[in-house]
Amino acid sequence: MKVTVDEDKCCGAGQCVLIAPEVFDQREDDGIVILLDAEPLEQLHVPVREATSVCPAAAIVLSETA
């Protein structure tokens, strides 16, 4: 799995950080997403998919790697 984020789309809701804190964080000044791990371990794939699905701005994009 490869994770990318579009900081321009991010609205700072923070749901991704609550669901997958190992992969996402937020900037302190404006709450915009910070990607901590672009290729998370397999045990994090389920929470990362959930974080992607609940992102109100659709700022997280996943691509599956073989």
Side-chain angles (χ1 to χ4, degrees), residues 12-66:
Q15 295 304 304
C16 57
V17 179
L18 294 173
I19 295 168
E22 305 86 355
V23 179
F24 305 102
D25 199 356
Q26 288 179 285
R27 296 191 306 222
E28 286 192 30
D29 58 336
D30 58 7
I32 299 300
V33 67
I34 299 169
L35 182 60
L36 301 175
D37 188 355
E39 296 184 23
L41 297 173
E42 189 170 343
Q43 64 259 27
L44 296 173
H45 288 190
V46 169
V48 169
R49 284 188 183 97
E50 182 180 349
T52 302
S53 71
V54 301
C55 178
I60 305 168
V61 177
L62 301 181
S63 57
E64 299 298 327
T65 56

